[in-house]
Amino acid sequence: MAAVSNDFDALESKGEIAHLYLADGSAPITGRSFGANTSAKGEVVFNTGMVGYPEALTDPSYRGQILVLTFPLIGNYGVPDEGIKDAYGLPEYFESNQIHIAGLVVSSYSWEHSHWAAHKSLAKWLKDNNIPGIYGVDTRALTMKIRSIGALLGNLVVNPSASTESESDMFSDPNKRHLAKEVSTKEVKVYGEQNTPSIIAYDCGMKFNIIRYFVDTHKVKLTVVPYDYDLEANPANIQWDGLFLSNGPGDPGMCPETIKSIQYALKLEPPRPIFGICLGNQLLALAAGAKTYKLKYGNRGMNQPCIDLRTGRCYITPQNHGFAVDTKSLPKDWKQLFMNANDLTNEGIVHVNKPFFSVQFHPEASGGPLDTAFLFDKFVGHVRKETQPLVLQDGLSFMKKTYKKVLLVGSGGLSIGQAGEFDYSGSQCIKALKEEGIEVILINPNIATVQTSSEKSEATPAADKVYFLPIRPHVVMDIIRKEKPDGIIVSMGGQTALNVGVELWNSGELQKEGVEVLGTQIPAIEATEDREIFSQKLAEIGESIALSYSATNIDEALKAANKIGYPILVRAAFALGGLGSGFAADDEELKELAAKAFATSNQILIDQDLRGWKELEYEVVRDSSDNCITVCNMENFDPLGVHTGDSIVVAPSQTLTNREYFMLRKTALKVVRHLGIVGECNIQYALNPKSEKYCIIEVNARLSRSSALASKATGYPLAYVATKLSLGKDLVTIRNSVTKTTTACFEPSLDYCVLKMPRWDLKKFNRVSNKLGSSMLSVGEVMAIGRTFEEVMQKACRMVNPALDGIEGAGSGLTSDEVPLEDQLKIPTDTRLFAVQRALEEGWGVDKVHDLTKIDKWFLSKLQNIASMRNALVKSGNLEKSFADNAADRMRTLKIAGFSDRQIANYSNLLPLQQGAAQVRALRKSLGVVPCVKQIDTLAAEFPANTNYLYMTYSGDHDDVSSSFDSPIMDSGDAFTPRKSFETRVRSVSMAEKRHDAVQESKDRGVVVLGCGAYCIGSSVEFDWCAVSAVRQLRKDGFKSIIINYNPETVSTDYDESERLYFEEMSLERVLDIYEREGAAGVVVSVGGQIPNNLAGPLAESGAHILGTKARDIERAEDRKQFSDMLDDLGVKQPQWSVLSSKDEAVEFSNKVGFPVLVRPSFVLSGAAMRVASDETELRNFLDLAADVADDKPVVVTKFILGAKEIEFDGVASNGKILNYAIGEHLENAGVHSGDATVILPAQKLYVGTIRQIKKAAAAIAKALNITGPFNIQFMGIENDVLVIECNLRASRTFPFVSKTLQANFISLATRAMCGLHVTPYNISLLDIDYVCVKAPMFSFTRLRGADPTLGVEMASTGEVACFGDDAHGAFLQALLATGFKLPKAGAPVLLSIASDPFRREFASAAKTLSKMGFKLLGTPGTASFYKEHYGLEITEVTKPADKGDDGPGSALDAIKEGGVELVINISEGTTRKDEITAGYLVRRAAVDFGIGLITNVKCAVWLAIAMGKGMEKFKAKSISEFYSLHRD
């Protein structure tokens, strides 16, 4: 039997059972022991610090207390060597010679630690000192209890069954003991014998760092005396110039001897300076004649904001005390010096004309920040009789400028490196400006964003005017001259906005128009962007960046590289997300990288290679009064060498000690103050993993991707606060938007862990390497919240890839059997994480994996825990066997480590998985293992917070919020029959019986809206706009709104948007958890894109009520075969198709209808694995790929029709009847994915007959599928024939585009329909619309090295923009410019390379236009001879490249690289995706790599030439409201 139990060791909780008994009579709290096997009594208190447990445990002020640490992950960095002593014989890393706490209570204990300075584990240290510790406690719930009823007496009992204590002997109050006497020195000790002046320090429990601070930093002679030393008698005959009163534990009233000596000192003439801290503050107050009192639960932590009442400045302070001074009792001549900004308690006193003062906090701070260390300077200055500087308010609060109108510059279309985070920051900025009554003008051509919406409400204000125009300096100036704003904000729109702001400032145009840059000023921004200035600025304050030199040509670059030594990092200056950067190992690699980098910037940077160092980041906020805080610190899972946007990031840092954490924080504040930043910025560091050596990588003086992450990770709205600060407000007066009562001048304390994981789409592109380096490649990110690292890692894996059930090695399907596992570990790639997990599953061990990856061993040990648990389950392979013993404990252990029900079912061989997961769920619930709901409240439960920002975890047993309903509405009306396992556990509510009350009940119960998940190619910010629109409409109609989403870049995850925000995964398991927990009325699955849509079936099967179109109808539309059969039944035309049952059948069908054919999998987004096959070989290859993607869903092969026109139909229906619709036409012919197409609305060139057919087909489909809610149908038009391509029963990516163009929010209408409310269609008359809107795709090919920048049936664009115009060609050109497209200058060379005669003929008139305009035409041989021969055009022939190196004189590549070509028009033959490297590919790739405008579609090329021929690049700036007024007029 013993051997069997060993198989499950990984699933068993370690340590003896332990109980924490509380004096309030509540049931004992159960956990496990990780310290000494003993019992301890004491007062239970909490500390909200996130680092510094060795310092806290040895702080004498904790004497007799059972300490609860609110940060859940403890023991990560072990404990340093107690034997290492400083110059005074004191332990270097500790605050006293022993542990003073009575016992330790934590949520999660790290059995494995990792740090260069660690000597032993925390558990061993506790055991060595006979101190008990308990883990597995819901420390948040315990903190909330202490907060509400006050500090409690407790008894921590290990192995309670063996305890012999009687109830009467259960508790003991340490406050009745003379604690100061217990911890005080028993003899007089002198430190710094040779120093002057001489200070006496009363030791009431003095921390060693105070001694070090006085003697090391201030060079004084410090004589430490016992607490009861009689100063008047002075038996040791000490000569003294100043008196210091130390911190210490307990009631100050129990130290009458100390008070008597202080009273003697107060009467001396001339007065000698006195300074007290913590207990010393209370003792000085009592000696002066004031009173003290016991606080309800004390202030203990590192983030207490204290206001200096001399200046109004606020400082972040570390504290540990249970008593406070009663300010009202201060006698004459004494004043309050500091005040707590949160609870307004006394934090310091001062005598009005004598050098006596004290503070309630620790200026020397160990652990904690050193922001108030100047108080030691002041005291020692007094002692040295130095004149003290006069401290005054700066008066800035009285000189606030008022602004009436502000221009906000957005970020434009989403691209790699600049994504949806700027929609969130811009939306927050608008909200902050509108609260101040400021008129907001916004320029942003990204029509898919929330910030460009014009619907206003009190809760969600909008910009007053929105300009959908290219973000170019001259366009911004046109708007400024027209609108005349007072100020401009360029820090909320990424690098795009920043670059425009810098250019306009340097040209003097902003100053000329009297427009002020709000927030950080341009010179400060330039100091962070220009490496030379930045390095110089840091040198001025004794800081340094990594070795780095700038170069303006390749020779300079080579010299710099050889000076630093290879390998080196090449970066382009003023570039976003590491664009144009990479590592070079030698001169040759450097030359190639430099050439490309110079295409995007005229200056490049050569940096020292610090790969393998830890990468860390701090988000810093500073106001104009110089209040400065760090809001969040983050640690990269990957060592330096991977761009932070491509790295897994953990917040807060997990492997930093108190010394490291606050060393980097101190530097951050110093740098930000020196640079003069006002608002928000982030600073990135490289930290040597084997020492405290660090260097600064960069400072971003603007809101960045990590700002959105930090805002969501902490609940601190950085963009909102930064906007308020840019208007001259100070941090102290801004409120904490979560607690609503405390100040924004604080540093959030997290009692959870956050993990950001990037999402890549590199597999969509041939020839793109999946290696990660200094240039960002990810297209989106997810954020997981939990209370263990294992939990957030597993959650994040499921979020980033819904096909995964958690973190897996070989089982993920993301590791290779062809490439040696060692190589997969050495090289960072988008799948390395899974290779790491595979190695751990296969027993490689943490040390070996660390040697290959340099990932910190602490992170790896956590992954090892997951691997061990997984291996135990796999070895068992049977659910009953795995849970035969200790079932609840094992299940809880797995769930705390983030294992999903599906994962457990999979390892237990319960197939099919959905039924298996339901079986695990039923077992889990029967064992009482259910998740609890926790709040993100910014202050680790220290203060009450009425916040709706929630997450779920198994590391806890109490919910922070209550639910109003016992059970949700479960639906029995769908054709999906709930299985028996569900029938037993759901309470079915008949909706028909109480139809009249149904809507009201739904409003009360609330509606769950599933958000968009991670941004990826095909699902981006447009679906966030849809989710936000749905939630806003629900709130408008009186429904409680509950949103589930896990994307930190989104507006939907702003806690102001909904009644309840669950920052959670959208797995079936978790959605059901929330649905049941909330007692919801229904779920909206149709506004968040494909991920929620795919959940419709499983949710309906589980009994959840799907609002809108039924799940069975969604499946009929999504399943290609069912949908095609339905169209045939309806008599609606579609291209010929066949369902794949074998490759041979597919080939036979394709030969019958004729190639090309389209291979289409079901249930996918953005054409994943969709391919056009032009022959049999391609078809067979593509079928393999599609079968992989489609899982067990059918794959359809369809005849691909060349030369057809694609038409987009977006509609909203109710009960099968269409309410409103919009018809948009694609500029490109069918074959370009709709997400990559240029879309024109209203359609300009459709026949009336075509439109009639489209409407008729759409009505038939809506009726057949009984659609209620949003839907999208794609049609193909061939002359007058209309064929249906596909239908999506959800919002499509064009919904924001359609809604904003027609000034009719389709999602609002759809939401009302889905909720069963009465709906009135919008009155839309296309004949009255006198403008056109053109939507253009935004690509990120510059970042995707090697990708072929051409278009096909699989989507490649990362974002979109749209512009309005009176004319379609004008709107098209503006939209093209808004994507960052560069127009050729007059007379510049234009290269034409067009593959076939039909395309050449189609482009002929455009070629003539370009020639007439004076452009110098170049052409590849076929193109040049065609235009010379048939049209007599003057065109210079250039040779086609045979390979990459074929760039000699007279070649196309030479023309691009050296010949000044400014536009390349390259039209390839079709939409087939070729694997071989063609001449066309080389030309296209060169154009992208050298930053030259590239057009690859003949229709777009023709339109571009027409627009340029009409001079449409010059346009008058018009806001969207001006276009709407045309429509209304």
Side-chain angles (χ1 to χ4, degrees):
M1 284 302 290
V4 173
S5 71
N6 284 343
D7 289 344
F8 296 108
D9 276 356
L11 307 185
E12 309 286 2
S13 297
K14 291 184 187 175
E16 299 276 338
I17 293 280
H19 281 173
L20 176 62
Y21 296 90
L22 298 174
D24 67 342
S26 56
I29 295 167
T30 303
R32 294 282 183 154
S33 164
F34 70 100
N37 195 348
T38 185
S39 298
K41 298 169 189 168
E43 183 180 37
V44 185
V45 298
F46 64 83
N47 177 321
T48 60
M50 298 183 291
V51 287
Y53 56 82
E55 290 84 355
L57 271 57
T58 53
D59 179 354
S61 297
Y62 279 119
R63 185 72 168 190
Q65 292 177 326
I66 295 173
L67 179 61
V68 180
L69 296 177
T70 61
F71 187 63
L73 297 146
I74 300 297
N76 307 7
Y77 49 85
V79 176
D81 188 348
E82 295 147 290
I84 298 174
K85 305 283 196 236
D86 63 15
Y88 315 105
L90 305 174
E92 176 85 31
Y93 297 106
F94 302 92
E95 291 307 303
S96 67
N97 284 310
Q98 66 179 101
I99 297 179
H100 285 284
I101 63 164
L104 185 61
V105 182
V106 304
S107 171
S108 174
Y109 174 66
S110 281
W111 293 97
E112 300 81 18
H113 61 270
S114 167
H115 196 269
W116 60 268
H119 180 63
K120 60 173 78 164
S121 69
L122 173 58
K124 181 160 187 341
W125 189 43
L126 290 176
K127 284 172 186 162
D128 291 349
N129 285 270
N130 202 35
I131 305 291
I134 179 175
Y135 77 94
V137 172
D138 188 339
T139 48
R140 180 171 171 82
L142 181 53
T143 301
M144 289 169 93
K145 175 180 274 203
I146 296 167
R147 178 188 82 198
S148 65
I149 62 178
L152 289 160
L153 296 183
N155 188 353
L156 206 173
V157 181
V158 178
N159 200 359
S161 58
S163 175
T164 55
E165 279 183 320
S166 64
E167 272 193 44
S168 59
D169 198 28
M170 183 67 86
F171 303 105
S172 170
D173 187 353
N175 293 301
K176 291 179 179 171
R177 290 164 25 204
H178 199 325
L179 296 172
K181 181 179 179 179
E182 290 179 27
V183 298
S184 178
T185 181
K186 304 296 179 274
E187 59 193 22
V188 175
K189 293 178 184 171
V190 180
Y191 298 93
E193 185 75 62
Q194 310 306 317
N195 298 343
T196 58
S198 175
I199 291 173
I200 285 182
Y202 268 84
D203 177 12
C204 302
M206 182 159 60
K207 292 165 74 175
F208 285 161
N209 208 45
I210 293 172
I211 298 170
R212 286 188 272 264
Y213 217 80
F214 271 123
V215 185
D216 268 357
T217 307
H218 290 286
K219 308 296 182 214
V220 302
K221 177 183 176 183
L222 192 71
T223 305
V224 178
V225 300
Y227 81 99
D228 57 356
Y229 185 81
D230 187 336
L231 190 59
E232 188 171 6
N234 197 2
N237 197 23
I238 304 164
Q239 299 298 310
W240 61 281
D241 306 301
L243 182 63
F244 175 75
L245 312 171
S246 86
N247 63 294
D251 184 346
M254 295 179 87
C255 300
E257 303 92 337
T258 324
I259 293 167
K260 178 171 165 283
S261 287
I262 299 167
Q263 286 171 332
Y264 161 74
L266 287 171
K267 290 172 187 162
L268 291 175
E269 288 295 344
R272 297 187 210 180
I274 302 174
F275 176 40
I277 65 171
C278 201
L279 182 70
N281 180 53
Q282 299 150 29
L283 292 170
L284 181 62
L286 290 173
K291 292 175 185 167
T292 61
Y293 63 97
K294 191 173 191 310
L295 290 164
K296 189 174 179 183
Y297 52 86
N299 283 338
R300 296 177 178 87
M302 300 173 180
N303 66 339
Q304 293 290 335
C306 293
I307 299 169
D308 184 338
L309 295 175
R310 300 169 301 167
T311 62
R313 287 272 302 279
C314 190
Y315 297 95
I316 306 301
T317 66
Q319 304 197 6
N320 176 13
H321 61 97
F323 288 79
V325 172
D326 179 1
T327 303
K328 293 192 188 86
S329 71
L330 285 173
K332 184 175 175 288
D333 293 336
W334 288 86
K335 299 278 187 192
Q336 187 172 209
L337 178 59
F338 282 87
M339 177 176 74
N340 190 296
N342 283 340
D343 63 15
L344 309 183
T345 53
N346 180 284
E347 292 285 0
I349 60 173
V350 64
H351 194 279
V352 293
N353 52 31
K354 291 183 179 178
F356 310 148
F357 67 103
S358 57
V359 291
Q360 193 55 70
F361 44 84
H362 279 275
E364 91 303 336
S366 188
L370 293 158
D371 299 11
T372 52
F374 63 84
L375 293 169
F376 276 92
D377 303 349
K378 179 178 169 58
F379 170 57
V380 175
H382 277 307
V383 176
R384 292 188 195 277
K385 298 188 169 52
E386 294 166 355
T387 306
Q388 292 300 296
L390 187 62
V391 179
L392 295 169
Q393 281 194 330
D394 55 20
L396 280 171
S397 54
F398 303 102
M399 297 188 289
K400 270 187 209 149
K401 187 176 169 188
T402 51
Y403 300 92
K404 289 181 180 166
K405 191 188 279 192
V406 168
L407 173 64
L408 171 62
V409 185
S411 63
L414 270 62
S415 60
I416 291 176
Q418 188 165 279
E421 64 271 10
F422 296 110
D423 186 26
Y424 168 68
S425 54
S427 299
Q428 289 277 302
C429 176
I430 291 166
K431 179 180 156 193
L433 291 170
K434 293 310 297 174
E435 280 179 4
E436 301 300 321
I438 294 169
E439 187 180 345
V440 182
I441 313 299
L442 170 68
I443 172 172
N444 192 354
N446 190 339
I447 202 158
T449 54
V450 176
Q451 64 179 251
T452 54
S453 295
S454 46
E455 295 113 316
K456 297 182 175 81
S457 76
E458 207 172 308
T460 54
D464 297 276
K465 288 185 185 172
V466 181
Y467 285 86
F468 288 94
L469 290 171
I471 300 170
R472 302 283 177 96
H474 70 277
V475 179
V476 172
M477 283 315 301
D478 286 349
I479 295 169
I480 285 172
R481 291 186 192 106
K482 179 180 172 185
E483 296 288 350
K484 302 191 167 28
D486 312 297
I488 184 170
I489 294 179
V490 296
S491 57
M492 304 279 170
Q495 201 71 35
T496 304
L498 206 63
N499 288 350
V500 165
V502 169
E503 194 173 323
L504 291 177
W505 180 263
N506 287 338
S507 69
E509 290 186 81
L510 289 179
Q511 298 92 316
K512 191 174 152 193
E513 297 297 326
V515 178
E516 203 176 306
V517 175
L518 302 189
T520 304
Q521 294 303 292
I522 299 296
I525 291 168
E526 286 190 301
T528 63
E529 295 275 320
D530 185 301
R531 299 299 283 182
E532 298 284 323
I533 305 173
F534 186 52
S535 183
Q536 197 181 317
K537 284 275 185 192
L538 292 183
E540 290 166 9
I541 51 170
E543 297 293 340
S544 69
I545 53 174
L547 281 177
S548 179
Y549 299 98
S550 64
T552 52
N553 58 50
I554 289 178
D555 283 345
E556 284 180 16
L558 289 167
K559 274 180 201 159
N562 285 293
K563 207 185 286 184
I564 293 168
Y566 288 104
I568 52 92
L569 166 63
V570 180
R571 298 194 300 154
F574 293 92
L576 182 85
L579 181 61
S581 70
F583 292 96
D586 53 42
D587 283 0
E588 285 312 305
E589 284 187 15
L590 172 57
K591 283 178 191 169
E592 190 179 327
L593 268 175
K596 286 181 185 173
F598 279 127
T600 57
S601 175
N602 56 9
Q603 184 194 55
I604 66 166
L605 312 162
I606 310 296
D607 292 344
Q608 176 186 355
D609 181 8
L610 297 171
R611 282 179 289 187
W613 285 34
K614 290 183 185 187
E615 187 166 357
L616 298 131
E617 194 166 333
Y618 283 69
E619 297 293 322
V620 189
V621 174
R622 178 176 173 266
D623 65 19
S624 53
S625 298
D626 205 30
N627 294 307
C628 200
I629 57 169
T630 60
V631 168
C632 184
N633 99 310
M634 295 176 266
E635 176 176 9
N636 286 12
F637 172 86
D638 298 290
L640 204 70
V642 174
H643 188 282
T644 190
D646 279 339
S647 184
I648 292 167
V649 176
V650 190
S653 59
Q654 300 295 321
T655 69
L656 293 193
T657 62
N658 177 77
R659 279 166 63 128
E660 290 166 333
Y661 182 101
F662 286 103
M663 168 183 77
L664 298 178
R665 180 189 174 278
K666 184 181 175 184
T667 301
L669 269 51
K670 182 167 72 167
V671 169
V672 166
R673 284 186 165 126
H674 186 64
L675 291 169
I677 286 164
V678 172
E680 192 272 350
C681 73
N682 71 343
I683 180 166
Q684 283 166 278
Y685 296 101
L687 176 69
N688 191 318
K690 292 176 183 157
S691 72
E692 289 177 355
K693 188 179 175 194
Y694 68 90
C695 60
I696 294 163
I697 301 171
E698 67 178 357
V699 170
N700 280 310
R702 58 172 171 83
L703 272 287
S704 65
R705 178 184 327 95
S706 51
S707 313
L709 175 67
S711 296
K712 301 297 168 68
T714 60
Y716 192 106
L718 284 164
Y720 171 85
V721 171
T723 304
K724 295 280 189 183
L725 299 183
S726 73
L727 299 172
K729 288 190 168 293
D730 65 73
L731 277 166
V732 185
T733 54
I734 301 169
R735 293 292 87 191
N736 173 342
S737 57
V738 169
T739 63
K740 306 285 193 292
T741 55
T742 56
T743 175
C745 190
F746 77 104
E747 297 191 351
S749 220
L750 278 56
D751 56 3
Y752 49 87
C753 170
V754 162
L755 185 139
K756 180 267 297 191
M757 189 177 281
R759 157 82 199 233
W760 295 274
D761 266 337
L762 301 176
K763 289 186 173 64
K764 280 182 171 286
F765 303 97
N766 285 359
R767 290 187 289 276
V768 172
S769 166
N770 69 338
K771 287 180 189 170
L772 303 179
S774 58
S775 184
M776 184 174 158
L777 293 172
S778 64
V779 289
E781 62 192 30
V782 304
M783 185 180 97
I785 309 172
R787 286 171 64 86
T788 69
F789 183 79
E790 294 92 333
E791 177 186 17
V792 291
M793 177 59 86
Q794 298 241 57
K795 270 186 173 182
C797 286
R798 291 190 286 270
M799 291 168 170
V800 93
N801 182 350
L804 294 173
D805 295 325
I807 187 169
E808 295 260 16
S812 68
L814 297 171
T815 61
S816 170
D817 291 328
E818 278 77 56
V819 181
L821 192 51
E822 193 165 308
D823 292 347
Q824 293 180 62
L825 294 178
K826 275 183 192 166
I827 299 159
T829 65
D830 59 346
T831 56
R832 176 164 78 166
L833 174 66
F834 305 98
V836 166
Q837 198 61 18
R838 181 173 178 174
L840 294 170
E841 287 170 3
E842 292 176 7
W844 284 37
V846 165
D847 289 346
K848 186 176 177 184
V849 174
H850 168 74
D851 289 344
L852 291 164
T853 61
K854 298 294 179 276
I855 295 167
D856 194 283
K857 288 181 185 178
W858 186 83
F859 294 127
L860 294 176
S861 70
K862 296 297 176 187
L863 299 185
Q864 178 68 68
N865 291 346
I866 295 171
S868 302
M869 291 182 201
R870 175 234 177 231
N871 289 349
L873 286 176
V874 169
K875 189 173 180 186
S876 161
N878 180 286
L879 192 67
E880 285 176 24
K881 186 178 167 188
S882 297
F883 296 96
D885 300 310
N886 302 334
D889 187 46
R890 287 181 185 177
M891 182 65 84
R892 186 167 279 107
T893 300
L894 285 163
K895 298 307 282 186
I896 285 171
F899 283 84
S900 65
D901 292 346
R902 271 177 72 97
Q903 243 173 321
I904 298 167
N906 185 24
Y907 300 147
S908 305
N909 297 310
L910 296 175
L911 299 171
L913 271 185
Q914 197 173 318
Q915 281 166 296
Q919 203 177 322
V920 173
R921 185 180 181 87
L923 170 66
R924 171 169 63 70
K925 291 174 94 171
S926 73
L927 294 169
V929 180
V930 291
C932 59
V933 178
K934 297 290 183 193
Q935 293 171 310
I936 302 279
D937 67 1
T938 73
L939 287 167
E942 186 174 2
F943 292 92
N946 185 22
T947 177
N948 58 349
Y949 187 8
L950 311 170
Y951 69 99
M952 282 187 142
T953 180
Y954 284 87
S955 284
D957 40 40
H958 286 77
D959 288 326
D960 284 0
V961 291
S962 58
S963 180
S964 325
F965 293 88
D966 293 332
S967 57
I969 290 180
M970 306 305 278
D971 202 357
S972 53
D974 209 336
F976 281 84
T977 310
R979 299 193 183 89
K980 288 286 177 203
S981 60
F982 288 111
E983 285 172 2
T984 55
R985 69 175 182 77
V986 305
R987 182 173 69 88
S988 189
V989 176
S990 167
M991 297 296 285
E993 290 169 21
K994 298 179 182 172
R995 179 58 62 190
H996 61 288
D997 292 332
V999 170
Q1000 188 53 50
E1001 188 184 350
S1002 295
K1003 287 182 179 183
D1004 296 340
R1005 284 178 170 275
V1007 170
V1008 175
V1009 177
L1010 301 186
C1012 58
Y1015 289 161
C1016 59
I1017 290 176
S1019 179
S1020 194
V1021 68
E1022 61 276 359
F1023 291 115
D1024 190 48
W1025 178 87
C1026 292
V1028 168
S1029 293
V1031 167
R1032 288 179 178 179
Q1033 188 60 45
L1034 285 170
R1035 294 182 83 174
K1036 206 181 280 183
D1037 288 325
F1039 286 83
K1040 174 184 168 187
S1041 58
I1042 304 150
I1043 195 144
I1044 307 175
N1045 199 359
Y1046 49 76
N1047 183 340
E1049 302 175 70
T1050 56
V1051 177
S1052 61
T1053 53
D1054 174 9
Y1055 45 79
D1056 287 343
E1057 287 292 338
S1058 55
E1059 267 78 21
R1060 290 224 167 144
L1061 163 65
Y1062 281 92
F1063 212 106
E1064 270 299 338
E1065 44 186 308
M1066 283 190 287
S1067 59
L1068 175 64
E1069 177 183 341
R1070 188 43 42 94
V1071 173
L1072 283 175
D1073 287 338
I1074 294 166
Y1075 185 68
E1076 291 170 3
R1077 172 77 185 53
E1078 287 290 341
V1083 187
V1084 174
V1085 298
S1086 56
V1087 295
Q1090 197 64 39
I1091 292 171
N1093 217 44
N1094 284 351
L1095 279 175
L1099 280 170
E1101 260 184 88
S1102 306
H1105 178 51
I1106 304 295
L1107 295 177
T1109 310
K1110 295 284 184 193
R1112 62 169 178 266
D1113 294 317
I1114 293 173
E1115 190 186 12
R1116 285 169 62 209
E1118 288 281 338
D1119 185 300
R1120 303 281 180 197
K1121 181 177 183 332
Q1122 288 188 57
F1123 182 62
S1124 291
D1125 287 347
M1126 185 193 81
L1127 291 182
D1128 287 347
D1129 292 345
L1130 293 172
V1132 172
K1133 291 180 185 174
Q1134 58 184 314
Q1136 289 173 280
W1137 59 273
S1138 164
V1139 178
L1140 163 70
S1141 51
S1142 76
K1143 286 186 189 177
D1144 292 337
E1145 275 182 31
V1147 169
E1148 193 184 323
F1149 166 79
S1150 302
N1151 284 324
K1152 190 172 85 183
V1153 298
F1155 284 95
V1157 292
L1158 183 64
V1159 183
R1160 305 165 66 84
S1162 297
F1163 291 94
V1164 297
L1165 186 72
S1166 74
M1170 207 185 281
R1171 295 284 193 276
V1172 176
S1174 54
D1175 56 39
E1176 190 175 320
T1177 313
E1178 280 189 359
L1179 175 63
R1180 287 182 185 274
N1181 290 343
F1182 294 158
L1183 288 175
D1184 287 343
L1185 186 67
D1188 288 346
V1189 169
D1191 206 18
D1192 54 351
K1193 306 291 190 299
V1195 176
V1196 176
V1197 180
T1198 312
K1199 167 67 182 163
F1200 183 72
I1201 298 164
L1202 294 166
K1205 191 174 194 68
E1206 199 161 327
I1207 301 145
E1208 198 94 29
F1209 183 98
D1210 286 306
V1212 176
S1214 180
N1215 299 315
K1217 189 175 178 217
I1218 296 175
L1219 299 170
N1220 280 117
Y1221 67 88
I1223 298 172
E1225 65 178 318
H1226 290 198
L1227 176 56
E1228 300 84 350
N1229 278 344
V1232 171
H1233 188 280
S1234 61
D1236 287 347
T1238 308
V1239 185
I1240 303 152
L1241 189 72
Q1244 301 292 296
K1245 292 191 173 177
L1246 292 184
Y1247 301 120
V1248 174
T1250 305
I1251 292 172
R1252 199 176 290 129
Q1253 282 185 63
I1254 288 169
K1255 284 159 68 175
K1256 192 176 169 189
I1261 291 168
K1263 187 178 178 187
L1265 292 171
N1266 195 27
I1267 300 174
T1268 295
F1271 69 102
N1272 161 274
I1273 306 175
Q1274 281 160 26
F1275 291 95
M1276 195 186 278
I1278 312 152
E1279 291 166 354
N1280 261 343
D1281 243 4
V1282 171
L1283 311 179
V1284 171
I1285 304 174
E1286 66 176 349
C1287 171
N1288 291 305
L1289 298 194
R1290 56 168 172 78
S1292 74
R1293 75 181 53 78
T1294 41
F1295 264 65
F1297 165 62
V1298 161
S1299 299
K1300 289 173 189 177
T1301 302
L1302 302 179
Q1303 204 186 354
N1305 191 320
F1306 275 33
I1307 294 294
S1308 297
L1309 185 71
T1311 304
R1312 288 179 61 83
M1314 289 187 284
C1315 290
L1317 300 176
H1318 174 70
V1319 280
T1320 308
Y1322 296 110
N1323 180 19
I1324 299 169
S1325 169
L1326 295 180
L1327 294 172
D1328 294 338
I1329 294 178
D1330 294 329
Y1331 54 85
V1332 183
C1333 187
V1334 174
K1335 177 173 85 76
M1338 181 99 176
F1339 298 97
S1340 297
F1341 286 124
T1342 39
R1343 290 193 174 276
L1344 299 163
R1345 284 189 197 150
D1348 188 349
T1350 188
L1351 307 182
V1353 289
E1354 187 164 2
M1355 188 170 163
S1357 60
T1358 51
E1360 63 188 45
V1361 295
C1363 292
F1364 291 77
D1366 303 319
D1367 166 281
H1369 290 101
F1372 166 77
L1373 186 58
Q1374 284 181 42
L1376 195 59
L1377 291 171
T1379 66
F1381 186 85
K1382 293 177 188 168
L1383 284 178
K1385 292 191 285 291
V1390 173
L1391 173 62
L1392 307 180
S1393 181
I1394 301 173
S1396 63
D1397 284 356
F1399 285 152
R1400 289 168 186 160
R1401 273 191 284 277
E1402 192 174 344
F1403 187 70
S1405 63
K1408 284 183 194 167
T1409 302
L1410 292 174
S1411 184
K1412 263 186 209 153
M1413 289 175 73
F1415 291 108
K1416 184 185 171 191
L1417 299 186
L1418 309 178
T1420 48
T1423 308
S1425 61
F1426 180 87
Y1427 286 128
K1428 277 179 188 167
E1429 196 180 314
H1430 293 88
Y1431 297 94
L1433 282 180
E1434 194 178 316
I1435 183 165
T1436 305
E1437 187 175 308
V1438 290
T1439 60
K1440 271 188 178 181
D1443 55 45
K1444 203 171 168 185
D1446 186 3
D1447 57 359
S1451 69
L1453 293 187
D1454 179 63
I1456 290 170
K1457 294 176 184 179
E1458 308 291 340
V1461 164
E1462 292 189 15
L1463 173 63
V1464 174
I1465 292 171
N1466 176 280
I1467 317 294
S1468 56
E1469 285 201 41
T1471 49
T1472 55
R1473 186 168 278 199
K1474 295 185 172 66
D1475 286 329
E1476 71 273 16
I1477 290 180
T1478 62
Y1481 163 76
L1482 292 169
V1483 167
R1484 291 189 290 275
R1485 195 61 239 177
V1488 166
D1489 288 341
F1490 286 85
I1492 293 164
L1494 171 69
I1495 300 283
T1496 61
N1497 182 278
V1498 69
K1499 301 263 190 261
C1500 294
V1502 170
W1503 272 50
L1504 173 63
I1506 292 169
M1508 284 166 63
K1510 291 180 176 177
M1512 286 180 164
E1513 64 272 19
K1514 298 182 183 73
F1515 49 83
K1516 193 177 162 195
K1518 279 165 78 171
S1519 69
I1520 184 67
S1521 45
E1522 290 173 83
F1523 284 108
Y1524 287 162
S1525 64
L1526 280 176
H1527 164 39
R1528 283 193 294 270
D1529 295 346

